[in-house]
């Protein structure tokens, strides 16, 4: 049966988080939208299945799908998008939490002249949502994008941050077109930033809107803190292909910060100082530090961050 909105929760062996995620969707305030919750279980263990059978097996609002055998994260994402049967869709994660006013706030935007996609702000947390203080972006008013270059510049340093990927509501027909068209781009941008490719491609069909309201809680964990140099470089190459200026200050600071984060994460740094790779990165960080400090863009970025702390 065709639905107006489907909220798909991607799940894989995280039953301890999933229940909180499901309850946050069920607890939406003053919702007049016709929506359905889909749990797409890509687990290797049975914990998620047992959780659904115990608490939600009789719920008319929830549809449960078990992937047997489990598939890769990329294939799981593609399957979910291909199976959507609604006008709009949310692709949510099993460790994130929606604010009770998420649908109430976003609803009017998708009911009247809907964009290709719309997202919100999010608080970042690790264990408890009450610990979340840092925001994903710092915009005080609605931000609307209608071209790829302006949108991609947000993923660089000092432009105010980005909207959370799990917080998007998509025009389903556009998302399905973009998803199938973007499959071949995985080799270009890599799976880690495949969401950037999908989102930027949506701009071929309509605008993307970011709301200033904090309407979800984004859990930081797993590989979220690990600096993947290869993935970062692929993302930059994709940006250059779209038209981002290689010599711009945001690109320079982006490169500097991801190499700085990478070197900080090396466990045996001092014992590997003779390694030529480490030497090159350390020299780059040391000698470019002066360039970083001397840029007005750097200080403007620091001041902007201090304003929102």
């Amino acid at each position: 049966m065709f639905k107006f909105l489907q909220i798909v929760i991607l799940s894989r062996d995280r039953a301890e988080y999933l229940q909180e995620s499901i309850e946050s969707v069920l607890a939406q305030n003053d919702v007049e939208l016709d929506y359905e919750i889909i749990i797409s279980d890509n687990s290797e263990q049975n914990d998620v299945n047992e959780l659904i059978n115990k608490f939600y097996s009789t719920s008319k609002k929830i549809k449960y799908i078990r992937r047997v055998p489990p598939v890769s994260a990329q294939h799981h994402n593609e399957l979910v998008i291909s199976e959507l049967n609604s006008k709009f869709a949310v692709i949510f994660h099993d460790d994130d939490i929606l604010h009770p006013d998420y649908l109430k706030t976003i609803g009017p935007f998708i009911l009247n002249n809907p964009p290709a996609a719309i997202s919100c702000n999010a608080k970042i947390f690790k264990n408890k949502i009450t610990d979340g203080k840092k925001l994903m972006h710092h915009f005080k008013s609605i931000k609307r994008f209608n071209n790829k270059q302006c949108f991609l510049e947000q993923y660089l340093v000092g432009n105010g941050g980005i909207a959370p990927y799990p917080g998007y509501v998509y025009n389903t027909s556009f998302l399905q077109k973009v998803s199938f068209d973007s499959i071949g781009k995985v080799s270009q941008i890599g799976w880690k930033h495949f969401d950037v490719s999908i989102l930027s491609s949506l701009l071929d069909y309509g605008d993307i809107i970011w709301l200033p309201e904090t309407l979800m809680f984004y859990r930081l964990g797993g590989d979220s803190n690990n600096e993947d140099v290869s993935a970062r470089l692929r993302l930059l190459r994709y940006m250059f292909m779209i038209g981002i200026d290689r010599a711009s200050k945001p690109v320079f600071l982006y490169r500097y910060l991801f190499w700085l984060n990478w070197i900080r994460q090396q466990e045996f740094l001092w014992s590997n100082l003779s390694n030529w790779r480490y030497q090159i990165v350390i020299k780059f960080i040391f000698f470019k530090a002066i360039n970083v400090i001397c840029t007005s863009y750097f200080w403007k970025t620091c001041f902007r961050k201090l304003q929102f702390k």
Side-chain angles (χ1 to χ4, degrees):
M1 182 178 176
F2 188 82
K3 294 285 184 179
F4 181 78
L5 172 67
Q6 290 176 312
I7 300 176
V8 184
I9 303 179
L10 305 179
S11 185
R12 186 177 177 91
D13 293 317
R14 292 193 290 199
E16 70 276 16
Y17 296 146
L18 177 60
Q19 186 168 16
E20 195 172 11
S21 180
I22 295 173
E23 291 299 326
S24 75
V25 182
L26 291 172
Q28 292 297 296
N29 292 328
D30 303 324
V31 180
E32 297 180 1
L33 304 176
D34 175 28
Y35 75 98
E36 175 186 44
I37 304 169
I38 299 174
I39 311 299
S40 183
D41 182 8
N42 194 36
S43 301
E44 294 183 349
Q45 308 300 323
N46 290 319
D47 292 356
V48 170
N49 180 269
E50 291 171 1
L51 172 73
I52 299 300
N53 287 334
K54 183 176 181 180
F55 295 104
Y56 305 108
S57 60
T58 60
S59 174
K60 295 181 180 180
K61 204 78 175 174
I62 296 175
K63 178 181 178 181
Y64 174 69
I65 301 173
R66 180 73 185 268
R67 308 292 176 181
V68 181
V71 296
S72 67
Q74 178 185 335
H75 190 200
H76 188 203
N77 196 73
E78 292 166 359
L79 275 174
V80 163
I81 293 174
S82 68
E83 293 168 353
L84 290 171
N85 185 32
S86 57
K87 189 171 182 179
F88 298 98
V90 177
I91 311 298
F92 206 57
H93 295 164
D94 61 358
D95 60 340
D96 298 325
I97 299 168
L98 284 182
H99 188 279
D101 290 332
Y102 175 82
L103 291 179
K104 178 183 177 182
T105 305
I106 289 182
F109 289 89
I110 62 175
L111 287 170
N112 304 301
N113 192 25
I118 180 170
S119 191
C120 56
N121 204 349
K123 278 189 177 181
I124 300 172
F125 75 105
K126 288 186 177 181
N127 299 311
K128 298 180 180 179
I129 61 173
T130 53
D131 298 333
K133 295 180 180 179
K134 186 177 179 181
L135 297 174
M136 289 201 69
H137 70 68
H138 304 298
F139 303 115
K140 295 182 179 180
S141 59
I142 295 172
K143 197 165 182 68
R144 182 182 289 267
F145 300 93
N146 55 24
N147 73 80
K148 295 179 183 181
Q149 187 169 335
C150 289
F151 178 77
L152 290 172
E153 283 174 350
Q154 293 301 139
Y155 287 80
L156 296 172
V157 177
N159 289 324
I162 60 173
Y165 183 58
Y168 277 90
V169 177
Y170 301 95
N171 182 308
T172 303
S173 63
F174 296 160
L175 177 61
Q176 289 176 330
K177 290 177 183 177
V178 164
S179 176
F180 299 135
D181 291 343
S182 299
I183 290 172
K185 295 181 181 178
V186 176
S187 59
Q188 294 177 345
I189 196 170
W191 174 248
K192 190 175 179 71
H193 295 295
F194 189 49
D195 58 315
V196 181
S197 171
I198 288 180
L199 289 168
S200 60
S201 296
L202 278 170
L203 289 163
D204 292 331
Y205 298 93
D207 293 354
I208 289 178
I209 295 174
W210 289 356
L211 301 180
E213 289 88 352
T214 302
L215 299 175
M216 69 164 288
F217 302 89
Y218 184 87
R219 190 186 300 270
L220 199 64
D223 62 352
S224 301
N225 291 317
N226 295 330
E227 196 63 57
D228 187 334
V229 172
S230 175
R232 293 283 190 180
L233 293 176
R234 283 184 173 186
L235 178 59
L236 278 178
R237 284 196 292 269
Y238 178 76
M239 290 181 174
F240 298 153
M241 183 179 69
I242 297 298
I244 301 293
D245 183 6
R246 294 170 180 261
S248 68
K249 293 296 182 184
V251 169
F252 166 68
L253 288 174
Y254 181 87
R255 279 177 165 151
Y256 185 86
L257 288 176
F258 81 63
W259 282 118
L260 180 62
N261 289 335
W262 179 82
I263 205 71
R264 284 173 173 171
Q265 291 172 1
Q266 305 311 303
E267 294 182 358
F268 305 103
L269 175 61
W270 298 110
S271 60
N272 286 304
L273 286 178
S274 59
N275 185 294
W276 65 272
R277 297 177 190 272
Y278 286 79
Q279 290 179 5
I280 290 174
V281 174
I282 290 171
K283 287 178 181 178
F284 171 79
I285 292 170
F286 180 77
F287 288 111
K288 293 296 182 180
I290 298 174
N291 299 52
V292 171
I293 294 172
C294 290
T295 60
S296 60
Y297 189 86
F298 170 76
W299 292 107
K300 287 178 182 177
T301 301
C302 291
F303 179 72
R304 191 181 294 118
K305 285 190 174 183
L306 288 172
Q307 281 185 305
F308 291 98
K309 280 193 174 181

